[in-house]
Amino acid sequence: RDGARWRPSEARPAVRSDDASVLLATRDEAGRPVVWAGSERSGLGRFVAGRWTTLAESDGLPARSVLSLLETRSPPARTLWAGTRGGGLAELSGGRVVRVHDRTNGLPNNVVLALAEVTLPGGPRELWVGTRGGLARRSLDDPGAAWSVLTGESRPPLPSDVVLSIAPVPGGPVYLGTN
């Protein structure tokens, strides 16, 4: 929306606008508005300064279907997290995939449905990842931290291993939407 009017932005050919499934609005290092668009078939689109670009499997994205997006900040760096259908979680820095998190290195499932930054009592921050196989969480303050996984078999057990949404209350509890 621009003032009192809606203004369309055509994403083609970078991203098929008819299959954009998730949007994230943020700002780049120069303070310019940036819109990230995760799509079902076209990878990850980035709209900045009136121009669309695409990040695809050929650029290191682990799958072409992007289901969830989150930006975290650990000054001076910003990290974009892109949850995919079947490829796990892409960690991006500077617009490039720098690491992929999947079943081989700690996630319970490679379908990543939800992402959230959770601040624990006392200030430590964690990345929470909702998947089709449970919830994974790890420290954002320690880049080498291992994943901790919660499932229907853990104590306490999750009500379902399919975690659709994560809603942290600042300074309070974290709510999970499950199947």
Side-chain angles (χ1 to χ4, degrees):
R1 194 174 131 183
D2 187 10
R5 302 182 72 182
W6 291 101
R7 186 177 55 169
S9 173
E10 180 58 55
R12 291 179 194 215
V15 176
R16 290 180 45 155
S17 56
D18 61 341
D19 74 345
S21 58
V22 61
L23 297 174
L24 174 69
T26 185
R27 293 194 178 272
D28 68 8
E29 292 76 15
R32 298 177 300 183
V34 176
V35 175
W36 294 93
S39 74
E40 283 290 329
R41 297 181 297 275
S42 304
L44 181 61
R46 180 177 186 252
F47 183 72
V48 63
R51 185 169 162 246
W52 281 99
T53 56
T54 305
L55 193 68
E57 288 174 293
S58 59
D59 302 307
L61 198 64
R64 68 181 184 170
S65 179
V66 177
L67 304 174
S68 53
L69 294 169
L70 175 71
E71 182 183 76
T72 59
R73 297 176 186 199
S74 297
R78 296 172 185 224
T79 302
L80 180 72
W81 304 90
T84 69
R85 181 186 313 279
L89 178 66
E91 181 179 345
L92 292 89
S93 181
R96 294 181 25 246
V97 176
V98 295
R99 187 167 179 200
V100 174
H101 304 267
D102 58 23
R103 290 189 68 181
T104 66
N105 56 19
L107 291 187
N109 189 279
N110 285 344
V111 177
V112 177
L113 303 168
L115 298 167
E117 179 177 344
V118 175
T119 302
L120 302 174
R125 298 172 314 122
E126 289 186 338
L127 174 63
W128 286 36
V129 179
T131 76
R132 286 207 175 274
L135 176 82
R137 49 185 252 203
R138 69 176 274 250
S139 173
L140 281 168
D141 301 319
D142 177 6
W147 290 99
S148 171
V149 174
L150 302 171
T151 67
E153 302 297 318
S154 58
R155 296 287 170 244
L158 292 179
S160 167
D161 285 345
V162 179
V163 179
L164 302 168
S165 56
I166 306 166
V169 176
V174 179
Y175 293 92
L176 301 179
T178 63
N179 192 5

